[in-house]
Amino acid sequence: MQEDRSRWNEKYVNKEKYSAEPAKIVKKFCTLAPKGRVIDIAAGTGKNALFLAKQGFMVEAVDISDVALGRLSGHHPNLHPICADLDTFDIPRERYSLILNIRFLNRRLFPYIQEALVPGGILIFETYLEGDGEDYCRSACRDYLLRNNELLHAFLSLRILFYQETKNHDQKDFCHIASLVAMKD
Ligand SMILES: C[S@@+](CC[C@H](N)C(=O)[O-])C[C@H]1O[C@@H](n2cnc3c(N)ncnc32)[C@H](O)[C@@H]1O
């Protein structure tokens, strides 16, 4: 939606520094995936996408912010930025050996994510949980926060390889995070 694009573009324009360090969960588990195509859902400025492109994956980095994607275009021949709204974007079926969904939540995509994996393909999903106490996540809109065990239940049709819910120190504050790694049989 146009509103999301403007809001995120504004954030990215005003942000001076971008971490180039891929998420720990991506570094740790990407080796489980057979080499092939990756979709990075809501890729942002592409730190995870670029890391995977360098590992030899063919990466499609989807995000609504053309400003964010602009920072990664031309960085690697294996990296293909796609500027699209994930509220309406159709993820192709049986195409990806690895799917990343990091720090983003759109529940509409859950069934498409499962269908988009090839057999043996890996899903790495990590995002914010509704917390307790006076932490930062609590003030975020509930629509963008997972409930306890929600991620685990959403992907039970896949083989769960790793799941945890933790309290992390994220940016300035404490945040509750759910992390899942799963394989399609
Ligand atoms: C918190 S950032 C996470 C970026 C990246 N995954 C990471 O871990 O660094 C969330 C991203 O979701 C994107 N986004 C928000 N709403 C979107 C939508 N409707 N369609 C596509 N991307 C969207 C934003 O532009 C932003 O880059």
Side-chain angles (χ1 to χ4, degrees), residues 1 4 8 12 40-44 47-48 62-65 68 84-87 102-104:
M1 149 199 343
D4 286 336
W8 279 99
Y12 283 116
D40 185 357
I41 293 173
K47 59 187 183 198
N48 298 312
V62 182
D63 201 282
I64 202 167
S65 167
D85 184 351
L86 286 157
D87 285 344
I102 309 290
R103 303 292 195 268
F104 176 75

Side-chain angles (χ1 to χ4, degrees), residues 4 30 51 62 78 86 90 115 132 142 179:
D4 286 336
C30 69
F51 170 76
V62 182
N78 291 354
L86 286 157
D90 286 328
E115 287 178 5
D132 46 23
R142 286 190 87 214
S179 311

